[in-house]
Amino acid sequence: MSTEQATANDSINAIRTLSIDAIEAANSGHPGLPLAFAPVAYLLYAERMKHDPADPLWPDRDRFVLSAGHGSMLQYAVLHLAGYDLSLDDLKAFRQWGSKTPGHPEREFHVPVGDDGKPQPGATPLPLTPGVEVTTGPLGQGISNAVGIAAAERYLRETFGREVQDHRTYVIASDGDLMEGVSAEASSFAGHVGLGRLIVLYDDNSISLDGPTSLSFDEDVEARYQAYGWQTLRVDDANDLDALRAALDAAEAEESRPTLIHVRSIIGWPSPNKQGTHKAHGSPLGAEEARLTKEALGVDPDATFSVPAGVYDQFRAGNRGPAERAAWKERFAAWREADADRARAWDAAWAGKPLPGLQDALRAVPAEKEATRVSGKRAMAAFAPFVPTLVGGAADLASSTNTVLPDAGDYTRDAVGQNVHFGVREHGMGAIVNGLAAHGGIVRPYGSTFLQFVDYMRGAVRLSALQNLPVAWVYTHDSVALGEDGPTHQPVEHLASLRAIPNLVVLRPGDSVETQAAWAAILEDVDGPAVLAFSRQGIAPLPRDGGDDAAWEGVRRGGYVVKEPAEDPAVVLVGTGAEVGVAVDAAALLGEQGIAARVVSLPSWELFDAQDDEYRESVLPVGLPSVSVEAAVTFGWERYVDVAVGIDRFGASAPGTELLERFGITPSAVAGRAQELLGA
Amino acid sequence: MSTEQATANDSINAIRTLSIDAIEAANSGHPGLPLAFAPVAYLLYAERMKHDPADPLWPDRDRFVLSAGHGSMLQYAVLHLAGYDLSLDDLKAFRQWGSKTPGHPEREFHVPVGDDGKPQPGATPLPLTPGVEVTTGPLGQGISNAVGIAAAERYLRETFGREVQDHRTYVIASDGDLMEGVSAEASSFAGHVGLGRLIVLYDDNSISLDGPTSLSFDEDVEARYQAYGWQTLRVDDANDLDALRAALDAAEAEESRPTLIHVRSIIGWPSPNKQGTHKAHGSPLGAEEARLTKEALGVDPDATFSVPAGVYDQFRAGNRGPAERAAWKERFAAWREADADRARAWDAAWAGKPLPGLQDALRAVPAEKEATRVSGKRAMAAFAPFVPTLVGGAADLASSTNTVLPDAGDYTRDAVGQNVHFGVREHGMGAIVNGLAAHGGIVRPYGSTFLQFVDYMRGAVRLSALQNLPVAWVYTHDSVALGEDGPTHQPVEHLASLRAIPNLVVLRPGDSVETQAAWAAILEDVDGPAVLAFSRQGIAPLPRDGGDDAAWEGVRRGGYVVKEPAEDPAVVLVGTGAEVGVAVDAAALLGEQGIAARVVSLPSWELFDAQDDEYRESVLPVGLPSVSVEAAVTFGWERYVDVAVGIDRFGASAPGTELLERFGITPSAVAGRAQELLGA
């Protein structure tokens, strides 16, 4: 069939009918958004975006984020029609185990399987769903990720040049996305730094899950976004292609402000009985209503998963992406040739790895008696030259968390330095950092605040773990030892709550050397997200039997023996962070009583658990009595020890040393519990 | 000394010098806000607010929230000067162990100690710091709590009448408060429902911790608040008392919109060397700068903790609070007398307890095979008549979480029903619900969403636990069994992360009867916050040896034996929620193999841990092999069992029953693990 036989309207209706059919087949899903916003998705993928289904990872592609992730079939349908590796069978498997079309868009990469049926070592991981940039669904995250994606593009564009990095980021967002505080934070930041390549299409359908949005949401969204420094535009009917095109023209012409295009739509249009109501939002239309909706669209009500003749051609005919990619490849080759150093930097950046030499630089940082947040500062100064595209910052606490890259400049409206001032916006920071990582090219972006305030950004931390994003979360002031600020600022349950998250490496180094080793492990070894927990208070260098090498090896393995007694140990004392030193002193007290105690530092449960049985047994032998000490709740420590010394209550306002004393985080208290355990 | 000898300026300067001196004595604290905003605090406590230091818990007092909690000395200084039970010695103990003046304002109540040195049973708990309404410090929470406080006042005013409830809520908020997403959510809600009695004084000092706020914050705050539907006013100089008075007049005259008064100030004014810089924000001025600042104020630079003659009288002379309280008491007595029923309802509301009869009503709800979220709906319908001042709602998921009080109406701009539509604003909901509880008079306010999204509101959940607020957090869709929505919506680590929070009771009932008992326990027994975790999927009524009574007793105690085998048990199978049924079926499978298995339901670890040794041992005997099953991470289960069956990974998108099968949450998998454990 020829292109002439299908129209834009046919393509748009194909998006709608594929969405209806997949949701009916799954008997689960959200038809309202795909029906209403099909014209918008069509324009983006068929006319506007610079993308090439043949290479979904092309670095200079335009990015698309479906912030309203519940409308996943909208994205799957356009990816299929545009020619991505997503078949009709994949659409038929919507929301089924192992399919490429999960309930919400999932950023997930897997190592390709070879002819032997096994994952091929060294092979480039491939996306589960080609064309999906980030996992969305938890409202507000996608639009906020997109801020980070646009920030990454701008950083790379101004660093490497427009020849190789020069694209836009498009978002479809819902009412729910804009009600969430995380999007408010990220949007204010985006306006502040003037991310002109960010274009958000806001689906204003006046309906949310519980009924009309007027139940809870009648603010003036456009005025709010103007207050943030955005350009705002309005399209009164989502089915008006020319109005949408004009708005996109104006958005794309604006380089210094992000743009919000306020699009009024009718949810579930043209479903005769459900459009415009919350019934069209979160449940399948049902067989009869699906038929009636197809009739209203003027398509065969009996056909399912049917794409009319000519639609594929029509959909793809206007895509200038393949030609642009071909041109980009030529430019890129010449660009590489012209400067081998920047080509190497580009390659390292996109491989997500530091330049060679990082570990030597970190090993050269001398041990000091200091807070690990200060050790972290020294680590950043040492590794900065090896991660030229690292971008990160703090939620208005950089001067306390010490997470500034020296001489790297600030990321502002006028300049793209590496240091980002996220403002007092922890959740927004988390989502933006996730976006920086999802874009690619930014090695190990990081976000920083006090450990206490991870609670504010937990939604984003979880999504970093779910997507295996290579980010670092740097949390300082990691115990009650921070002192006078009191229980609102003193973490107690936070280490446990982070350890409970799957696929998140938590590292709490015990002194300055462990801190250097922890940063090295994260930058070199850990694929996914990692948490660093640093102390506010000073910590003396640990006296290690094995010297610094023991720390370097031990941190990578998550735990190791710091001190072994002369005779066979009668008890193992296990600590993390500042409390490894408490364990060392407790062991000395026990030694005075004739009790031989081994001291173990366990900076990372996750890395330790990943070691083989033999190594773990060599550090924490089964059957040897054991006591842990950590200035935090004891929750979870039963996994490793017989007795856990900790703080199973909220903290208090007082000087830090007094609090540790009052809460029993002292060498004598630990020695006493060990003696009790041994019946000594 | 007479009043004439001191002026308003003397009083204002006394606030400043007391703040300087307390922060110097502690060598810790934030002088910038107390110095700059002393005039505002003075006006509120000396001229504006309806308050009586003699009765800091008077129900009709105006409420004051220092959202910028780091400026705590501002509040302590005015409370002292106004005549609250907060002495100069208390100020001298600022930020010290056990003092009434912790680093941030803490809402904390303690039972008074009698002559015997022991807490007096039955005595009314007294506040740690009289005059402090809520714990603040984590930015954005206080202003959002204040939205809940104002919402409570409005509810009680329209329910009981202006004679007995008729006050305002004043807030001092900082830049940081307004950058946080939680305040954006709560402020949008406040504008939506038109809380005209809420007045926020925004301290715009252009400085945050990392330097000028322009580093990260240049949005138009007034325009944003106008977009939310607020009245906005501006005062260009925090030292201009008349301008402040005029703005407060306009704010107090506005009844249908909340008001934001944008007050420009100079942080740390008039410190000669630190004012207007971030150096004045978070550290003591230092001895020399303290002297210079006092000189600039025109007070004795050598005097510390010195209140000039006449200042106390000056400060208190204009307080109409005592007279208003006297008038209120007369009105209140007459009001009670006129209607004994409403007096009883008022008493129950302020005691925070349901009316008599609640438990019988809940016991009468028949057992059903149904999702516990549906059992929860039936519970709410049953208990609604007994909690006439209960106010709560969901974050746009009421139709899924089933948390609507039938026939109780909606809380809107035009009416004060009991059902609140918080919008897709989980964190704002959490902070607002905390405020509803902190106000008093609202029995067990609640907030509801999917268990997954507790991550978005964790900052507020933690503060409910820290303040021991009597709230209920109702979280449904409590496991991967929710199915197709996939891992972004499937909680796995959330139960563990909630159990890790001190002073938070988590309840995951195993069937419809346990659900009724859980709601009864929360409404009648639990003082502080409680979490309810409910299933999306249907659950059959548990076959209990002890019938319903066993469930009612067992839920209150956190755990109990559901089924005991005929012979002595060889193994205990422990479950929570829907997985108690899995344990029951696993026990049957084991029985077929000749292995006698006890089945235990453990709906609440916290309530169970509070039981005496004998009871706990009777349920989970030490030494008896044990296996737990919970469709969640196994983190923490080592505390109770030898082998934990769970899901130590993220979920996936597929039908729920298939996921449970694939993840091994099945009777046969549990029976298999038990056999392995027994070596059978």
Side-chain angles (χ1 to χ4, degrees):
Chain A
M1 296 279 174
S2 70
T3 308
E4 286 78 9
Q5 291 178 278
T7 64
N9 196 48
D10 294 328
S11 286
I12 292 166
N13 283 344
I15 299 170
R16 292 180 165 127
T17 57
L18 288 173
S19 298
I20 290 171
D21 292 339
I23 292 165
E24 288 302 311
N27 194 26
S28 172
H30 297 71
L33 178 70
L35 285 169
F37 243 46
V40 173
Y42 166 79
L43 284 182
L44 292 180
Y45 276 83
E47 296 186 3
R48 289 284 161 164
M49 276 169 44
K50 182 172 72 171
H51 71 115
D52 185 351
D55 186 359
L57 301 180
W58 171 31
D60 201 32
R61 70 193 179 277
D62 282 345
R63 305 301 198 270
F64 172 74
V65 175
L66 183 67
S67 193
H70 53 272
S72 54
M73 264 314 302
L74 177 67
Q75 187 169 12
Y76 300 149
V78 288
L79 289 173
H80 167 74
L81 294 170
Y84 286 81
D85 181 14
L86 205 66
S87 67
L88 278 180
D89 281 343
D90 290 325
L91 301 189
K92 290 175 184 170
F94 181 53
R95 297 190 153 219
Q96 302 309 304
W97 177 266
S99 81
K100 295 162 79 172
T101 49
H104 292 81
E106 302 279 348
R107 177 193 175 91
E108 187 185 323
F109 284 82
H110 60 273
V111 178
V113 172
D115 293 338
D116 57 357
K118 292 178 184 165
Q120 298 171 281
T124 305
L126 295 177
L128 171 72
T129 315
V132 167
E133 303 288 351
V134 285
T135 296
T136 53
L139 291 170
Q141 298 288 338
I143 180 175
S144 307
N145 295 157
V147 172
I149 291 171
E153 187 273 342
R154 179 179 170 220
Y155 183 83
L156 296 169
R157 171 163 34 98
E158 301 207 11
T159 300
F160 290 113
R162 283 182 101 112
E163 312 97 285
V164 293
Q165 189 78 127
D166 188 20
H167 72 80
R168 294 193 176 81
T169 300
Y170 296 86
V171 179
I172 290 178
S174 61
D175 294 301
D177 285 305
L178 300 193
M179 283 193 244
E180 292 285 5
V182 61
S183 68
E185 293 177 11
S187 298
S188 179
F189 174 85
H192 177 72
V193 294
L195 296 173
R197 300 297 188 87
L198 176 63
I199 299 171
V200 175
L201 293 128
Y202 158 41
D203 176 22
D204 177 10
N205 60 28
S206 306
I207 290 295
S208 62
L209 213 146
D210 281 344
T213 47
S214 58
L215 275 176
S216 52
F217 192 56
D218 61 2
E219 62 173 55
D220 183 339
V221 171
E222 287 182 48
R224 174 157 69 94
Y225 271 78
Q226 287 161 14
Y228 294 147
W230 289 47
Q231 172 180 224
T232 66
L233 304 167
R234 176 183 276 247
V235 172
D236 285 325
D237 176 2
N239 283 320
D240 184 343
L241 293 182
D242 287 336
L244 285 169
R245 288 188 185 105
L248 286 165
D249 285 343
E252 290 165 3
E254 171 65 58
E255 283 276 317
S256 64
R257 291 180 298 168
T259 296
L260 180 85
I261 305 177
H262 180 172
V263 184
R264 299 271 318 168
S265 81
I266 297 169
I267 193 169
W269 184 91
S271 156
N273 298 301
K274 297 194 171 178
Q275 65 169 295
T277 77
H278 69 269
K279 290 178 204 156
H281 171 73
S283 306
L285 293 179
E288 179 56 20
E289 190 69 12
R291 277 184 57 88
L292 294 173
T293 304
K294 288 180 187 175
E295 279 176 9
L297 289 171
V299 302
D300 180 356
D302 294 316
T304 59
F305 293 104
S306 163
V307 179
V311 158
Y312 291 111
D313 289 342
Q314 196 284 331
F315 200 103
R316 297 169 193 180
N319 184 5
R320 59 196 163 84
E324 298 210 36
R325 183 167 72 96
W328 178 89
K329 282 176 80 170
E330 276 187 35
R331 283 201 311 277
F332 183 61
W335 178 89
R336 293 182 70 87
E337 197 127 336
D339 187 337
D341 279 349
R342 76 180 177 190
R344 258 194 302 279
W346 172 276
D347 289 343
W350 285 89
K353 291 296 172 194
L355 299 169
L358 172 128
Q359 190 172 143
D360 289 343
L362 284 170
R363 279 184 185 258
V365 177
E368 290 285 353
K369 177 172 179 175
E370 64 191 7
T372 46
R373 65 175 170 143
V374 177
S375 313
K377 178 182 189 169
R378 295 200 296 143
M380 293 187 78
F383 72 61
F386 304 95
V387 284
T389 68
L390 189 156
V391 173
D396 194 43
L397 286 172
S399 49
S400 284
T401 60
N402 291 319
T403 47
V404 175
L405 289 164
D407 310 318
D410 286 345
Y411 194 116
T412 67
R413 175 185 295 276
D414 305 314
V416 289
Q418 292 172 261
N419 292 304
V420 183
H421 296 276
F422 290 107
V424 190
R425 305 183 182 105
E426 296 82 6
H427 204 175
M429 172 175 73
I432 293 168
V433 168
N434 284 345
L436 287 166
H439 181 276
I442 307 293
V443 177
R444 197 50 72 167
Y446 70 91
S448 174
T449 181
F450 292 166
L451 180 55
Q452 174 66 237
F453 301 123
V454 67
D455 279 359
Y456 272 44
M457 58 185 289
R458 197 171 162 88
V461 172
R462 181 178 210 261
L463 281 164
S464 75
L466 180 58
Q467 297 176 80
N468 201 41
L469 292 170
V471 300
W473 305 119
V474 185
Y475 298 125
T476 68
H477 295 58
D478 71 352
S479 82
V480 299
L482 67 87
E484 289 88 347
D485 274 344
T488 54
H489 285 54
Q490 291 162 354
V492 288
E493 75 278 23
H494 301 73
L495 290 170
S497 76
L498 289 167
R499 289 170 180 150
I501 299 177
N503 196 42
L504 180 66
V505 171
V506 180
L507 274 156
R508 186 171 185 244
D511 69 356
S512 67
V513 175
E514 284 194 11
T515 302
Q516 309 306 319
W519 260 118
I522 289 177
L523 290 166
E524 293 186 335
D525 298 345
V526 177
D527 283 336
V531 165
L532 283 164
F534 289 150
S535 74
R536 178 186 185 223
Q537 80 273 29
I539 300 177
L542 291 168
R544 275 180 207 85
D545 290 343
D548 287 0
D549 286 347
W552 276 83
E553 172 73 9
V555 168
R556 260 161 214 260
R557 304 190 84 157
Y560 66 104
V561 176
V562 171
K563 281 198 82 63
E564 187 73 350
E567 45 195 312
D568 283 350
V571 63
V572 185
L573 307 181
V574 186
T576 79
E579 288 78 61
V580 184
V582 175
V584 169
D585 293 346
L589 291 178
L590 289 170
E592 291 168 13
Q593 308 293 321
I595 300 173
R598 169 185 293 181
V599 177
V600 164
S601 175
L602 199 66
S604 172
W605 293 14
E606 299 80 16
L607 295 180
F608 186 71
D609 289 352
Q611 304 304 309
D612 59 28
D613 289 355
E614 191 188 351
Y615 181 76
R616 282 184 285 116
E617 171 76 16
S618 75
V619 176
L620 292 178
V622 174
L624 191 59
S626 52
V627 178
S628 67
V629 55
E630 186 171 72
V633 297
T634 57
F635 193 89
W637 271 103
E638 292 90 348
R639 182 163 298 182
Y640 299 104
V641 296
D642 302 311
V643 169
V645 176
I647 304 173
D648 285 312
R649 54 159 285 179
F650 290 113
S653 176
T657 47
E658 179 173 4
L659 291 174
L660 292 174
E661 190 76 39
R662 288 187 180 271
F663 294 144
I665 309 298
T666 61
S668 64
V670 173
R673 295 292 294 278
Q675 284 176 297
E676 250 176 63
L677 175 66
L678 298 172
Chain B
M1 296 281 175
S2 71
T3 306
E4 288 75 11
Q5 290 177 277
T7 64
N9 195 49
D10 294 328
S11 285
I12 291 166
N13 283 343
I15 298 170
R16 291 180 166 127
T17 57
L18 288 172
S19 298
I20 290 172
D21 292 339
I23 292 166
E24 289 300 311
N27 194 27
S28 172
H30 297 72
L33 178 70
L35 284 168
F37 243 47
V40 174
Y42 167 79
L43 284 182
L44 292 179
Y45 276 83
E47 295 187 4
R48 289 285 161 165
M49 277 169 44
K50 181 172 74 170
H51 70 115
D52 185 351
D55 186 359
L57 301 180
W58 170 31
D60 201 32
R61 69 192 180 276
D62 283 345
R63 304 301 198 269
F64 172 74
V65 175
L66 182 66
S67 193
H70 53 273
S72 53
M73 266 312 303
L74 176 68
Q75 187 168 13
Y76 300 148
V78 288
L79 289 172
H80 166 75
L81 294 170
Y84 285 81
D85 181 14
L86 205 66
S87 67
L88 278 181
D89 282 341
D90 290 324
L91 301 189
K92 289 175 185 171
F94 180 52
R95 295 189 154 221
Q96 303 309 303
W97 177 266
S99 81
K100 296 162 77 170
T101 49
H104 292 81
E106 302 279 350
R107 177 191 174 92
E108 188 186 322
F109 284 81
H110 59 273
V111 178
V113 172
D115 293 337
D116 56 358
K118 291 179 184 162
Q120 297 171 283
T124 303
L126 295 177
L128 170 72
T129 314
V132 166
E133 303 288 352
V134 283
T135 296
T136 53
L139 291 169
Q141 298 288 339
I143 179 174
S144 307
N145 296 156
V147 172
I149 291 171
E153 187 273 341
R154 179 178 169 219
Y155 183 82
L156 296 169
R157 171 162 34 98
E158 301 207 12
T159 301
F160 289 113
R162 283 181 103 112
E163 312 99 283
V164 292
Q165 189 77 129
D166 188 21
H167 71 79
R168 293 193 177 81
T169 300
Y170 296 86
V171 179
I172 290 178
S174 61
D175 294 301
D177 285 305
L178 300 193
M179 283 194 246
E180 292 284 7
V182 60
S183 67
E185 293 177 11
S187 297
S188 179
F189 175 84
H192 178 71
V193 294
L195 297 174
R197 300 296 188 87
L198 175 63
I199 299 171
V200 175
L201 295 127
Y202 158 41
D203 175 24
D204 177 11
N205 60 27
S206 307
I207 289 296
S208 63
L209 212 146
D210 281 345
T213 46
S214 58
L215 274 176
S216 54
F217 191 56
D218 61 2
E219 61 174 56
D220 183 339
V221 171
E222 288 181 49
R224 175 158 68 94
Y225 272 77
Q226 286 161 14
Y228 293 147
W230 288 49
Q231 172 179 225
T232 66
L233 304 168
R234 176 183 275 245
V235 173
D236 285 325
D237 177 1
N239 284 319
D240 184 343
L241 293 182
D242 286 337
L244 285 169
R245 288 188 184 106
L248 286 166
D249 285 344
E252 290 165 2
E254 171 65 55
E255 283 276 318
S256 64
R257 292 180 297 168
T259 296
L260 181 84
I261 305 178
H262 180 173
V263 183
R264 300 271 318 171
S265 81
I266 298 169
I267 192 170
W269 185 91
S271 156
N273 298 301
K274 297 195 172 179
Q275 65 170 295
T277 78
H278 69 265
K279 290 178 204 156
H281 171 74
S283 305
L285 293 178
E288 179 55 20
E289 190 68 11
R291 278 183 57 87
L292 294 173
T293 305
K294 288 180 185 173
E295 279 177 9
L297 289 170
V299 304
D300 180 356
D302 293 316
T304 59
F305 292 104
S306 163
V307 178
V311 158
Y312 290 112
D313 289 342
Q314 196 285 331
F315 200 103
R316 298 170 191 179
N319 184 5
R320 57 196 166 81
E324 297 211 37
R325 182 166 73 96
W328 179 88
K329 282 176 80 170
E330 276 188 34
R331 282 201 310 277
F332 183 61
W335 178 89
R336 293 181 70 85
E337 197 126 333
D339 186 337
D341 280 349
R342 75 181 177 189
R344 259 195 301 280
W346 171 277
D347 290 344
W350 285 89
K353 291 294 172 195
L355 298 169
L358 172 128
Q359 191 172 142
D360 289 343
L362 284 171
R363 280 183 185 257
V365 177
E368 289 287 353
K369 176 172 180 174
E370 65 192 4
T372 46
R373 64 175 170 144
V374 177
S375 312
K377 179 181 188 169
R378 295 200 295 144
M380 293 187 76
F383 72 60
F386 303 94
V387 283
T389 69
L390 189 155
V391 173
D396 193 44
L397 286 172
S399 48
S400 282
T401 60
N402 291 319
T403 47
V404 176
L405 289 164
D407 310 317
D410 286 344
Y411 194 115
T412 67
R413 175 184 296 275
D414 305 314
V416 291
Q418 292 173 261
N419 292 303
V420 183
H421 295 277
F422 290 107
V424 190
R425 305 184 182 105
E426 296 81 6
H427 203 175
M429 171 176 75
I432 292 167
V433 168
N434 284 344
L436 287 166
H439 181 276
I442 306 294
V443 176
R444 195 52 70 167
Y446 70 92
S448 173
T449 181
F450 291 167
L451 180 55
Q452 175 65 236
F453 301 122
V454 66
D455 279 359
Y456 273 43
M457 56 184 290
R458 196 169 163 90
V461 172
R462 183 179 209 261
L463 281 164
S464 76
L466 180 58
Q467 297 175 80
N468 200 40
L469 292 170
V471 299
W473 306 119
V474 185
Y475 298 126
T476 69
H477 295 59
D478 71 351
S479 82
V480 299
L482 66 86
E484 291 87 347
D485 273 344
T488 54
H489 285 55
Q490 292 162 355
V492 287
E493 76 277 22
H494 301 74
L495 290 169
S497 75
L498 290 167
R499 289 170 180 151
I501 299 177
N503 197 42
L504 180 67
V505 172
V506 180
L507 273 157
R508 186 171 185 243
D511 70 355
S512 68
V513 176
E514 284 195 10
T515 302
Q516 310 306 319
W519 260 119
I522 289 177
L523 290 166
E524 293 186 335
D525 298 345
V526 178
D527 284 335
V531 165
L532 283 164
F534 289 150
S535 74
R536 177 187 186 224
Q537 81 274 28
I539 299 177
L542 292 167
R544 275 180 208 87
D545 291 343
D548 287 0
D549 285 348
W552 276 83
E553 173 74 8
V555 167
R556 260 160 214 258
R557 306 190 83 156
Y560 67 103
V561 177
V562 171
K563 281 200 80 65
E564 186 74 348
E567 45 195 310
D568 282 351
V571 64
V572 184
L573 307 181
V574 187
T576 78
E579 288 79 59
V580 183
V582 175
V584 168
D585 293 345
L589 290 178
L590 289 170
E592 291 167 14
Q593 307 293 319
I595 300 172
R598 169 186 291 181
V599 177
V600 164
S601 175
L602 199 67
S604 173
W605 293 15
E606 300 78 19
L607 295 180
F608 186 70
D609 289 351
Q611 303 306 309
D612 59 29
D613 289 353
E614 192 188 350
Y615 182 76
R616 282 185 285 118
E617 171 76 16
S618 75
V619 177
L620 292 178
V622 174
L624 191 59
S626 52
V627 178
S628 66
V629 54
E630 187 171 71
V633 298
T634 57
F635 194 89
W637 271 104
E638 292 91 345
R639 183 163 296 182
Y640 299 104
V641 296
D642 302 311
V643 169
V645 176
I647 304 174
D648 285 312
R649 53 159 287 178
F650 290 114
S653 175
T657 47
E658 180 174 3
L659 290 175
L660 293 173
E661 190 76 38
R662 289 188 180 270
F663 294 144
I665 308 299
T666 61
S668 63
V670 173
R673 295 293 293 278
Q675 284 176 296
E676 248 176 66
L677 175 67
L678 297 172

